[in-house]
Short mmCIF file of all heavy atoms in Angstrom, two decimals:
data_model
loop_
_atom_site.label_atom_id
_atom_site.label_comp_id
_atom_site.label_asym_id
_atom_site.label_seq_id
_atom_site.Cartn_x
_atom_site.Cartn_y
_atom_site.Cartn_z
N LYS A 453 -2.01 -12.14 -65.27
CA LYS A 453 -1.39 -11.06 -66.04
C LYS A 453 -1.54 -9.72 -65.32
O LYS A 453 -0.63 -8.88 -65.37
CB LYS A 453 -2.00 -11.00 -67.43
CG LYS A 453 -1.53 -12.12 -68.35
CD LYS A 453 -2.14 -12.01 -69.73
CE LYS A 453 -1.65 -13.14 -70.64
NZ LYS A 453 -2.25 -13.09 -71.99
N ALA A 454 -2.68 -9.52 -64.66
CA ALA A 454 -2.86 -8.28 -63.90
C ALA A 454 -1.83 -8.20 -62.79
O ALA A 454 -1.27 -7.11 -62.52
CB ALA A 454 -4.27 -8.23 -63.33
N PHE A 455 -1.56 -9.30 -62.12
CA PHE A 455 -0.55 -9.32 -61.06
C PHE A 455 0.84 -9.07 -61.63
O PHE A 455 1.63 -8.32 -61.05
CB PHE A 455 -0.61 -10.66 -60.34
CG PHE A 455 0.45 -10.84 -59.29
CD1 PHE A 455 0.38 -10.15 -58.09
CD2 PHE A 455 1.52 -11.69 -59.51
CE1 PHE A 455 1.36 -10.30 -57.12
CE2 PHE A 455 2.50 -11.85 -58.55
CZ PHE A 455 2.43 -11.16 -57.35
N LEU A 456 1.13 -9.67 -62.77
CA LEU A 456 2.44 -9.48 -63.39
C LEU A 456 2.67 -8.02 -63.77
O LEU A 456 3.73 -7.45 -63.50
CB LEU A 456 2.57 -10.36 -64.63
CG LEU A 456 2.73 -11.87 -64.40
CD1 LEU A 456 2.59 -12.62 -65.72
CD2 LEU A 456 4.07 -12.17 -63.77
N VAL A 457 1.64 -7.40 -64.37
CA VAL A 457 1.79 -6.02 -64.85
C VAL A 457 1.76 -5.02 -63.69
O VAL A 457 2.53 -4.05 -63.68
CB VAL A 457 0.69 -5.70 -65.88
CG1 VAL A 457 0.69 -4.22 -66.23
CG2 VAL A 457 0.88 -6.54 -67.13
N SER A 458 0.91 -5.26 -62.70
CA SER A 458 0.71 -4.27 -61.64
C SER A 458 1.72 -4.38 -60.50
O SER A 458 2.01 -3.38 -59.84
CB SER A 458 -0.71 -4.42 -61.06
OG SER A 458 -1.69 -4.26 -62.05
N ILE A 459 2.24 -5.57 -60.23
CA ILE A 459 3.11 -5.78 -59.07
C ILE A 459 4.52 -6.19 -59.49
O ILE A 459 5.50 -5.54 -59.12
CB ILE A 459 2.51 -6.83 -58.12
CG1 ILE A 459 1.13 -6.40 -57.66
CG2 ILE A 459 3.44 -7.05 -56.94
CD1 ILE A 459 1.11 -5.13 -56.85
N LEU A 460 4.64 -7.27 -60.27
CA LEU A 460 5.97 -7.79 -60.58
C LEU A 460 6.74 -6.90 -61.56
O LEU A 460 7.96 -6.79 -61.46
CB LEU A 460 5.86 -9.20 -61.13
CG LEU A 460 5.43 -10.28 -60.12
CD1 LEU A 460 5.51 -11.67 -60.75
CD2 LEU A 460 6.28 -10.23 -58.86
N LEU A 461 6.05 -6.27 -62.50
CA LEU A 461 6.74 -5.38 -63.43
C LEU A 461 7.32 -4.15 -62.72
O LEU A 461 8.50 -3.81 -62.93
CB LEU A 461 5.80 -4.96 -64.56
CG LEU A 461 6.42 -4.08 -65.64
CD1 LEU A 461 7.60 -4.78 -66.31
CD2 LEU A 461 5.37 -3.68 -66.69
N PRO A 462 6.56 -3.46 -61.84
CA PRO A 462 7.19 -2.37 -61.07
C PRO A 462 8.35 -2.85 -60.20
O PRO A 462 9.34 -2.13 -60.03
CB PRO A 462 6.04 -1.83 -60.21
CG PRO A 462 4.81 -2.18 -60.97
CD PRO A 462 5.11 -3.49 -61.63
N LEU A 463 8.22 -4.06 -59.64
CA LEU A 463 9.32 -4.61 -58.85
C LEU A 463 10.56 -4.81 -59.70
O LEU A 463 11.68 -4.53 -59.27
CB LEU A 463 8.89 -5.93 -58.21
CG LEU A 463 9.93 -6.65 -57.36
CD1 LEU A 463 10.29 -5.81 -56.14
CD2 LEU A 463 9.44 -8.03 -56.94
N PHE A 464 10.38 -5.30 -60.94
CA PHE A 464 11.50 -5.48 -61.87
C PHE A 464 12.19 -4.15 -62.16
O PHE A 464 13.42 -4.03 -62.10
CB PHE A 464 10.97 -6.12 -63.15
CG PHE A 464 11.86 -5.94 -64.35
CD1 PHE A 464 13.02 -6.68 -64.49
CD2 PHE A 464 11.54 -5.01 -65.33
CE1 PHE A 464 13.84 -6.52 -65.59
CE2 PHE A 464 12.35 -4.84 -66.43
CZ PHE A 464 13.51 -5.59 -66.57
N LEU A 465 11.39 -3.11 -62.44
CA LEU A 465 11.97 -1.80 -62.76
C LEU A 465 12.67 -1.19 -61.54
O LEU A 465 13.75 -0.60 -61.66
CB LEU A 465 10.88 -0.86 -63.27
CG LEU A 465 10.19 -1.28 -64.59
CD1 LEU A 465 9.03 -0.35 -64.90
CD2 LEU A 465 11.20 -1.30 -65.73
N LEU A 466 12.05 -1.35 -60.36
CA LEU A 466 12.65 -0.80 -59.15
C LEU A 466 13.97 -1.49 -58.83
O LEU A 466 14.98 -0.83 -58.51
CB LEU A 466 11.68 -0.97 -57.98
CG LEU A 466 12.17 -0.50 -56.60
CD1 LEU A 466 12.45 0.99 -56.60
CD2 LEU A 466 11.14 -0.85 -55.53
N THR A 467 13.99 -2.83 -58.91
CA THR A 467 15.22 -3.58 -58.62
C THR A 467 16.33 -3.22 -59.59
O THR A 467 17.48 -2.97 -59.19
CB THR A 467 14.94 -5.09 -58.66
OG1 THR A 467 13.88 -5.40 -57.75
CG2 THR A 467 16.18 -5.88 -58.30
N GLY A 468 16.00 -3.19 -60.88
CA GLY A 468 17.01 -2.84 -61.88
C GLY A 468 17.54 -1.44 -61.70
O GLY A 468 18.75 -1.19 -61.79
N GLY A 469 16.63 -0.49 -61.41
CA GLY A 469 17.06 0.89 -61.22
C GLY A 469 17.95 1.07 -60.00
O GLY A 469 18.94 1.81 -60.05
N LEU A 470 17.61 0.40 -58.90
CA LEU A 470 18.41 0.52 -57.68
C LEU A 470 19.82 -0.01 -57.88
O LEU A 470 20.81 0.65 -57.52
CB LEU A 470 17.72 -0.22 -56.53
CG LEU A 470 16.57 0.48 -55.84
CD1 LEU A 470 15.91 -0.46 -54.83
CD2 LEU A 470 17.05 1.73 -55.12
N PHE A 471 19.92 -1.21 -58.44
CA PHE A 471 21.24 -1.81 -58.60
C PHE A 471 22.06 -1.14 -59.70
O PHE A 471 23.29 -1.29 -59.74
CB PHE A 471 21.11 -3.31 -58.86
CG PHE A 471 20.82 -4.11 -57.62
CD1 PHE A 471 19.55 -4.60 -57.38
CD2 PHE A 471 21.81 -4.35 -56.68
CE1 PHE A 471 19.27 -5.32 -56.24
CE2 PHE A 471 21.54 -5.07 -55.53
CZ PHE A 471 20.26 -5.56 -55.30
N SER A 472 21.40 -0.39 -60.59
CA SER A 472 22.14 0.33 -61.63
C SER A 472 23.04 1.40 -61.03
O SER A 472 24.02 1.82 -61.66
CB SER A 472 21.16 0.98 -62.62
OG SER A 472 20.45 0.01 -63.34
N VAL A 473 22.71 1.86 -59.83
CA VAL A 473 23.53 2.87 -59.18
C VAL A 473 24.87 2.29 -58.76
O VAL A 473 25.89 3.00 -58.73
CB VAL A 473 22.78 3.44 -57.95
CG1 VAL A 473 23.64 4.47 -57.21
CG2 VAL A 473 21.44 4.04 -58.37
N PHE A 474 24.91 0.98 -58.48
CA PHE A 474 26.12 0.35 -57.94
C PHE A 474 26.78 -0.61 -58.93
O PHE A 474 27.96 -0.90 -58.80
CB PHE A 474 25.77 -0.41 -56.66
CG PHE A 474 25.06 0.43 -55.63
CD1 PHE A 474 23.68 0.41 -55.55
CD2 PHE A 474 25.78 1.25 -54.78
CE1 PHE A 474 23.01 1.18 -54.60
CE2 PHE A 474 25.13 2.03 -53.83
CZ PHE A 474 23.74 2.00 -53.76
N TRP A 475 26.03 -1.14 -59.88
CA TRP A 475 26.56 -2.08 -60.86
C TRP A 475 26.45 -1.47 -62.26
O TRP A 475 25.86 -0.41 -62.45
CB TRP A 475 25.78 -3.39 -60.87
CG TRP A 475 25.65 -4.09 -59.55
CD1 TRP A 475 26.33 -3.84 -58.39
CD2 TRP A 475 24.75 -5.17 -59.26
NE1 TRP A 475 25.93 -4.68 -57.40
CE2 TRP A 475 24.97 -5.52 -57.90
CE3 TRP A 475 23.82 -5.89 -60.00
CZ2 TRP A 475 24.25 -6.55 -57.28
CZ3 TRP A 475 23.11 -6.91 -59.40
CH2 TRP A 475 23.33 -7.23 -58.06
N ALA A 476 26.99 -2.21 -63.22
CA ALA A 476 26.74 -1.86 -64.62
C ALA A 476 25.25 -2.02 -64.89
O ALA A 476 24.63 -3.01 -64.47
CB ALA A 476 27.55 -2.77 -65.54
N PRO A 477 24.60 -1.06 -65.58
CA PRO A 477 23.15 -1.16 -65.80
C PRO A 477 22.71 -2.47 -66.45
O PRO A 477 21.65 -3.02 -66.11
CB PRO A 477 22.86 0.04 -66.71
CG PRO A 477 23.94 1.03 -66.37
CD PRO A 477 25.16 0.20 -66.07
N ALA A 478 23.52 -2.99 -67.38
CA ALA A 478 23.15 -4.26 -68.02
C ALA A 478 23.10 -5.39 -67.00
O ALA A 478 22.19 -6.24 -67.02
CB ALA A 478 24.14 -4.58 -69.14
N HIS A 479 24.07 -5.42 -66.09
CA HIS A 479 24.09 -6.45 -65.05
C HIS A 479 22.93 -6.28 -64.07
O HIS A 479 22.33 -7.26 -63.61
CB HIS A 479 25.41 -6.41 -64.30
CG HIS A 479 26.58 -6.85 -65.12
ND1 HIS A 479 27.89 -6.75 -64.69
CD2 HIS A 479 26.64 -7.39 -66.37
CE1 HIS A 479 28.70 -7.21 -65.62
NE2 HIS A 479 27.96 -7.59 -66.65
N ALA A 480 22.61 -5.01 -63.74
CA ALA A 480 21.51 -4.75 -62.80
C ALA A 480 20.19 -5.24 -63.35
O ALA A 480 19.41 -5.92 -62.66
CB ALA A 480 21.44 -3.26 -62.49
N PHE A 481 19.91 -4.93 -64.62
CA PHE A 481 18.62 -5.35 -65.18
C PHE A 481 18.62 -6.82 -65.56
O PHE A 481 17.55 -7.43 -65.64
CB PHE A 481 18.27 -4.47 -66.39
CG PHE A 481 17.70 -3.13 -65.99
CD1 PHE A 481 18.51 -2.01 -65.90
CD2 PHE A 481 16.36 -3.01 -65.67
CE1 PHE A 481 17.99 -0.79 -65.51
CE2 PHE A 481 15.82 -1.80 -65.28
CZ PHE A 481 16.64 -0.67 -65.20
N LEU A 482 19.79 -7.41 -65.76
CA LEU A 482 19.84 -8.86 -65.97
C LEU A 482 19.46 -9.58 -64.67
O LEU A 482 18.72 -10.58 -64.70
CB LEU A 482 21.24 -9.27 -66.42
CG LEU A 482 21.42 -10.74 -66.83
CD1 LEU A 482 20.49 -11.10 -67.98
CD2 LEU A 482 22.87 -11.02 -67.21
N HIS A 483 19.96 -9.06 -63.54
CA HIS A 483 19.57 -9.62 -62.24
C HIS A 483 18.06 -9.45 -62.01
O HIS A 483 17.37 -10.37 -61.55
CB HIS A 483 20.35 -8.94 -61.13
CG HIS A 483 19.82 -9.20 -59.76
ND1 HIS A 483 19.82 -10.45 -59.17
CD2 HIS A 483 19.23 -8.36 -58.85
CE1 HIS A 483 19.27 -10.39 -57.96
NE2 HIS A 483 18.92 -9.12 -57.74
N ALA A 484 17.53 -8.26 -62.35
CA ALA A 484 16.10 -8.02 -62.19
C ALA A 484 15.27 -8.93 -63.09
O ALA A 484 14.21 -9.43 -62.69
CB ALA A 484 15.79 -6.55 -62.48
N ALA A 485 15.76 -9.16 -64.32
CA ALA A 485 15.05 -10.04 -65.24
C ALA A 485 15.04 -11.48 -64.73
O ALA A 485 14.02 -12.19 -64.83
CB ALA A 485 15.70 -9.98 -66.63
N PHE A 486 16.16 -11.92 -64.16
CA PHE A 486 16.21 -13.27 -63.62
C PHE A 486 15.23 -13.41 -62.45
O PHE A 486 14.51 -14.42 -62.33
CB PHE A 486 17.63 -13.59 -63.15
CG PHE A 486 17.80 -14.99 -62.63
CD1 PHE A 486 17.84 -16.07 -63.49
CD2 PHE A 486 17.91 -15.22 -61.28
CE1 PHE A 486 17.98 -17.36 -63.01
CE2 PHE A 486 18.07 -16.50 -60.78
CZ PHE A 486 18.10 -17.57 -61.66
N SER A 487 15.15 -12.40 -61.59
CA SER A 487 14.21 -12.42 -60.48
C SER A 487 12.77 -12.44 -61.00
O SER A 487 11.91 -13.15 -60.44
CB SER A 487 14.42 -11.19 -59.59
OG SER A 487 15.75 -11.13 -59.13
N PHE A 488 12.49 -11.68 -62.06
CA PHE A 488 11.15 -11.64 -62.64
C PHE A 488 10.75 -13.00 -63.20
O PHE A 488 9.62 -13.48 -62.98
CB PHE A 488 11.10 -10.57 -63.73
CG PHE A 488 9.75 -10.42 -64.39
CD1 PHE A 488 8.80 -9.58 -63.84
CD2 PHE A 488 9.44 -11.12 -65.54
CE1 PHE A 488 7.56 -9.44 -64.44
CE2 PHE A 488 8.20 -10.99 -66.14
CZ PHE A 488 7.26 -10.14 -65.60
N VAL A 489 11.65 -13.65 -63.92
CA VAL A 489 11.34 -14.95 -64.51
C VAL A 489 11.14 -16.01 -63.43
O VAL A 489 10.24 -16.85 -63.52
CB VAL A 489 12.46 -15.35 -65.50
CG1 VAL A 489 12.27 -16.79 -65.97
CG2 VAL A 489 12.48 -14.42 -66.70
N LEU A 490 11.97 -15.96 -62.39
CA LEU A 490 11.77 -16.89 -61.27
C LEU A 490 10.41 -16.68 -60.62
O LEU A 490 9.71 -17.65 -60.27
CB LEU A 490 12.87 -16.69 -60.23
CG LEU A 490 14.20 -17.42 -60.46
CD1 LEU A 490 15.15 -17.11 -59.31
CD2 LEU A 490 14.01 -18.93 -60.57
N SER A 491 10.01 -15.44 -60.46
CA SER A 491 8.70 -15.15 -59.86
C SER A 491 7.57 -15.63 -60.77
O SER A 491 6.54 -16.14 -60.28
CB SER A 491 8.56 -13.65 -59.61
OG SER A 491 9.59 -13.18 -58.75
N TYR A 492 7.74 -15.49 -62.07
CA TYR A 492 6.74 -15.96 -63.03
C TYR A 492 6.59 -17.48 -62.94
O TYR A 492 5.47 -18.02 -62.91
CB TYR A 492 7.15 -15.54 -64.43
CG TYR A 492 6.26 -16.05 -65.54
CD1 TYR A 492 4.91 -15.74 -65.57
CD2 TYR A 492 6.78 -16.85 -66.56
CE1 TYR A 492 4.09 -16.20 -66.59
CE2 TYR A 492 5.97 -17.33 -67.58
CZ TYR A 492 4.64 -17.00 -67.59
OH TYR A 492 3.84 -17.47 -68.60
N LEU A 493 7.70 -18.18 -62.86
CA LEU A 493 7.65 -19.64 -62.71
C LEU A 493 7.00 -20.02 -61.37
O LEU A 493 6.16 -20.93 -61.31
CB LEU A 493 9.07 -20.21 -62.77
CG LEU A 493 9.24 -21.71 -62.49
CD1 LEU A 493 8.44 -22.55 -63.48
CD2 LEU A 493 10.71 -22.10 -62.51
N PHE A 494 7.35 -19.31 -60.31
CA PHE A 494 6.79 -19.60 -58.99
C PHE A 494 5.29 -19.31 -58.96
O PHE A 494 4.52 -19.99 -58.27
CB PHE A 494 7.51 -18.76 -57.94
CG PHE A 494 7.25 -19.20 -56.54
CD1 PHE A 494 7.84 -20.35 -56.04
CD2 PHE A 494 6.44 -18.46 -55.71
CE1 PHE A 494 7.61 -20.76 -54.74
CE2 PHE A 494 6.20 -18.85 -54.42
CZ PHE A 494 6.78 -20.01 -53.93
N LEU A 495 4.84 -18.30 -59.71
CA LEU A 495 3.42 -17.99 -59.81
C LEU A 495 2.63 -19.18 -60.34
O LEU A 495 1.56 -19.53 -59.83
CB LEU A 495 3.21 -16.77 -60.71
CG LEU A 495 1.78 -16.28 -60.91
CD1 LEU A 495 1.20 -15.76 -59.61
CD2 LEU A 495 1.75 -15.17 -61.97
N GLY A 496 3.16 -19.84 -61.38
CA GLY A 496 2.49 -21.02 -61.92
C GLY A 496 2.50 -22.17 -60.93
O GLY A 496 1.50 -22.89 -60.77
N ILE A 497 3.63 -22.37 -60.23
CA ILE A 497 3.72 -23.47 -59.27
C ILE A 497 2.70 -23.28 -58.14
O ILE A 497 2.00 -24.23 -57.75
CB ILE A 497 5.15 -23.57 -58.70
CG1 ILE A 497 6.14 -23.96 -59.81
CG2 ILE A 497 5.22 -24.56 -57.56
CD1 ILE A 497 7.59 -23.92 -59.38
N VAL A 498 2.60 -22.06 -57.63
CA VAL A 498 1.68 -21.80 -56.52
C VAL A 498 0.23 -22.01 -56.96
O VAL A 498 -0.58 -22.59 -56.22
CB VAL A 498 1.90 -20.37 -56.00
CG1 VAL A 498 0.76 -19.95 -55.08
CG2 VAL A 498 3.22 -20.28 -55.25
N PHE A 499 -0.13 -21.57 -58.17
CA PHE A 499 -1.51 -21.70 -58.62
C PHE A 499 -1.88 -23.13 -58.99
O PHE A 499 -3.06 -23.41 -59.21
CB PHE A 499 -1.79 -20.74 -59.78
CG PHE A 499 -2.32 -19.42 -59.33
CD1 PHE A 499 -1.45 -18.42 -58.91
CD2 PHE A 499 -3.68 -19.17 -59.30
CE1 PHE A 499 -1.93 -17.21 -58.48
CE2 PHE A 499 -4.18 -17.96 -58.87
CZ PHE A 499 -3.29 -16.97 -58.45
N LEU A 500 -0.92 -24.01 -59.06
CA LEU A 500 -1.26 -25.43 -59.19
C LEU A 500 -1.98 -25.94 -57.94
O LEU A 500 -2.66 -26.96 -57.99
CB LEU A 500 0.01 -26.26 -59.43
CG LEU A 500 0.65 -26.15 -60.82
CD1 LEU A 500 1.98 -26.89 -60.84
CD2 LEU A 500 -0.28 -26.71 -61.90
N PHE A 501 -1.82 -25.22 -56.82
CA PHE A 501 -2.45 -25.61 -55.56
C PHE A 501 -3.63 -24.71 -55.21
O PHE A 501 -4.10 -24.71 -54.07
CB PHE A 501 -1.42 -25.57 -54.44
CG PHE A 501 -0.24 -26.48 -54.67
CD1 PHE A 501 0.93 -26.00 -55.25
CD2 PHE A 501 -0.30 -27.82 -54.34
CE1 PHE A 501 2.01 -26.82 -55.48
CE2 PHE A 501 0.77 -28.66 -54.57
CZ PHE A 501 1.94 -28.16 -55.14
N TYR A 502 -4.13 -23.93 -56.17
CA TYR A 502 -5.29 -23.08 -55.93
C TYR A 502 -6.52 -23.95 -55.74
O TYR A 502 -6.79 -24.85 -56.53
CB TYR A 502 -5.49 -22.13 -57.11
CG TYR A 502 -6.53 -21.06 -56.87
CD1 TYR A 502 -6.28 -20.03 -55.97
CD2 TYR A 502 -7.74 -21.08 -57.54
CE1 TYR A 502 -7.22 -19.04 -55.76
CE2 TYR A 502 -8.69 -20.09 -57.33
CZ TYR A 502 -8.43 -19.08 -56.44
OH TYR A 502 -9.37 -18.10 -56.21
N ARG A 503 -7.28 -23.66 -54.66
CA ARG A 503 -8.39 -24.53 -54.29
C ARG A 503 -9.71 -24.15 -54.93
O ARG A 503 -10.75 -24.73 -54.61
CB ARG A 503 -8.55 -24.54 -52.76
CG ARG A 503 -7.37 -25.19 -52.06
CD ARG A 503 -7.59 -25.27 -50.58
NE ARG A 503 -7.63 -23.94 -49.97
CZ ARG A 503 -7.78 -23.73 -48.67
NH1 ARG A 503 -7.94 -24.74 -47.86
NH2 ARG A 503 -7.80 -22.51 -48.18
N GLY A 504 -9.69 -23.21 -55.85
CA GLY A 504 -10.90 -22.86 -56.58
C GLY A 504 -11.60 -21.66 -55.98
O GLY A 504 -11.38 -21.27 -54.84
N GLY A 505 -12.51 -21.10 -56.77
CA GLY A 505 -13.25 -19.92 -56.34
C GLY A 505 -12.88 -18.70 -57.14
O GLY A 505 -11.71 -18.52 -57.52
N PHE A 506 -13.87 -17.85 -57.40
CA PHE A 506 -13.60 -16.62 -58.13
C PHE A 506 -12.85 -15.64 -57.24
O PHE A 506 -12.97 -15.67 -56.01
CB PHE A 506 -14.91 -16.00 -58.60
CG PHE A 506 -15.52 -16.70 -59.78
CD1 PHE A 506 -16.60 -17.56 -59.62
CD2 PHE A 506 -15.00 -16.52 -61.05
CE1 PHE A 506 -17.16 -18.20 -60.69
CE2 PHE A 506 -15.54 -17.16 -62.14
CZ PHE A 506 -16.62 -18.01 -61.96
N PRO A 507 -12.09 -14.74 -57.85
CA PRO A 507 -11.35 -13.76 -57.04
C PRO A 507 -12.28 -12.88 -56.21
O PRO A 507 -13.33 -12.45 -56.67
CB PRO A 507 -10.59 -12.94 -58.09
CG PRO A 507 -10.51 -13.82 -59.29
CD PRO A 507 -11.76 -14.63 -59.27
N PHE A 508 -11.88 -12.65 -54.97
CA PHE A 508 -12.55 -11.70 -54.08
C PHE A 508 -14.01 -12.05 -53.83
O PHE A 508 -14.84 -11.17 -53.66
CB PHE A 508 -12.44 -10.27 -54.65
CG PHE A 508 -11.07 -9.93 -55.16
CD1 PHE A 508 -10.84 -9.74 -56.52
CD2 PHE A 508 -10.01 -9.84 -54.29
CE1 PHE A 508 -9.58 -9.44 -56.99
CE2 PHE A 508 -8.74 -9.54 -54.75
CZ PHE A 508 -8.53 -9.35 -56.11
#
Side-chain angles (χ1 to χ4, degrees):
K453 285 181 180 179
F455 175 73
L456 288 170
V457 171
S458 302
I459 301 297
L460 291 186
L461 183 59
L463 179 65
F464 160 76
L465 297 174
L466 177 63
T467 304
L470 281 174
F471 282 104
S472 294
V473 178
F474 306 96
W475 306 347
H479 291 173
F481 280 96
L482 187 59
H483 166 66
F486 183 75
S487 304
F488 181 87
V489 172
L490 276 181
S491 302
Y492 176 59
L493 174 60
F494 194 74
L495 181 66
I497 294 173
V498 167
F499 268 83
L500 287 173
F501 301 94
Y502 189 70
R503 293 184 294 181
F506 284 103
F508 315 112

